[in-house]
């Protein structure tokens, strides 16, 4: 079990850039990409932990009448984590790529059902680095029933 003592920084500076682009190459199909760049530093100019420098997401979503489906792939790069030892520098983590799929059907104008698979590749963060003190949910199947009124 890992115990941490957190020390809040008096000041932090978070600045970055975010961009999104989408196209509809076919009727019902939307392709999009988003990218974020983050420069998160404390009052000494040191990078903050648990804030990836880059995040990239690719989406493909399809709709046709009452049906919908899609896929999403996300990647994080430039993530730093603490070693848990006071005075040690932050450690760079390997890139993390996650994918998910979803589909659904509108049963009526106010009711729809859906199914999704999250963490399709069954990514285990602890297997990537022992410094990941938090877990990512394993491959997960979710079934939803959503009502709107």
């Amino acid at each position: 079990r890992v115990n941490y003592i957190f020390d809040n920084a008096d000041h932090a500076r978070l600045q970055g850039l975010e961009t999104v682009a989408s196209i509809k190459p076919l009727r019902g199909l939307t392709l999009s990409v988003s990218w974020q760049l983050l420069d998160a530093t404390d009052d000494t100019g040191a990078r903050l932990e648990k804030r990836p420098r880059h995040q990239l997401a690719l989406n493909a979503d399809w709709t046709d009448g009452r049906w919908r489906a899609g896929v999403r792939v996300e990647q994080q790069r430039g993530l730093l984590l603490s070693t848990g030892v006071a005075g040690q520098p932050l450690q760079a983590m390997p890139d993390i790529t996650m994918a998910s799929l979803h589909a659904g059907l509108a049963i009526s104008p106010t009711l729809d059902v859906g199914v999704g698979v999250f963490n399709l590749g069954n990514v285990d963060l602890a297997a990537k680095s022992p410094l990941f003190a938090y877990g990512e949910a394993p491959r997960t199947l979710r079934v939803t029933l959503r009502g709107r009124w």
Side-chain angles (χ1 to χ4, degrees), residues 100-103 114-118 140-144:
S100 61
L101 298 171
H102 65 88
V115 63
V117 179
F118 298 90
T140 305
L141 174 67
R142 297 186 182 167
V143 178
T144 61

Side-chain angles (χ1 to χ4, degrees), residues 72-117:
R72 178 177 177 85
V73 178
E74 303 174 58
Q75 185 176 67
Q76 292 184 356
R77 292 179 172 213
L79 181 68
L80 299 177
L81 291 179
S82 170
T83 63
V85 177
Q88 292 293 314
L90 298 175
Q91 299 294 308
M93 294 297 100
D95 298 346
I96 300 167
T97 303
M98 307 278 285
S100 61
L101 298 171
H102 65 88
L105 171 65
I107 296 171
S108 73
T110 60
L111 189 65
D112 70 352
V113 294
V115 63
V117 179

Side-chain angles (χ1 to χ4, degrees), residues 7-138:
D7 185 18
N8 290 332
D10 290 333
H11 297 91
R13 186 182 81 176
L14 287 82
Q15 57 184 0
L17 175 68
E18 183 172 353
T19 185
V20 177
S22 294
I23 61 169
K24 293 186 177 191
L26 302 170
R27 192 181 112 239
L29 179 64
T30 302
L31 304 175
S32 62
V33 60
S34 64
W35 173 69
Q36 297 95 32
L37 169 67
L38 178 64
D39 181 30
T41 57
D42 65 14
D43 50 359
T44 69
R47 283 197 47 211
L48 298 177
E49 69 169 317
K50 299 180 184 174
R51 287 158 181 86
R53 173 84 71 182
H54 301 275
Q55 293 189 79
L56 176 68
L58 304 171
N59 293 289
D61 292 299
W62 168 82
T63 58
D64 186 13
R66 300 180 322 149
W67 293 93
R68 61 182 163 74
V71 61
R72 178 177 177 85
V73 178
E74 303 174 58
Q75 185 176 67
Q76 292 184 356
R77 292 179 172 213
L79 181 68
L80 299 177
L81 291 179
S82 170
T83 63
V85 177
Q88 292 293 314
L90 298 175
Q91 299 294 308
M93 294 297 100
D95 298 346
I96 300 167
T97 303
M98 307 278 285
S100 61
L101 298 171
H102 65 88
L105 171 65
I107 296 171
S108 73
T110 60
L111 189 65
D112 70 352
V113 294
V115 63
V117 179
F118 298 90
N119 194 357
L120 193 60
N122 206 25
V123 174
D124 178 7
L125 296 180
K128 291 187 168 285
S129 170
L131 297 180
F132 282 109
Y134 52 91
E136 184 65 40

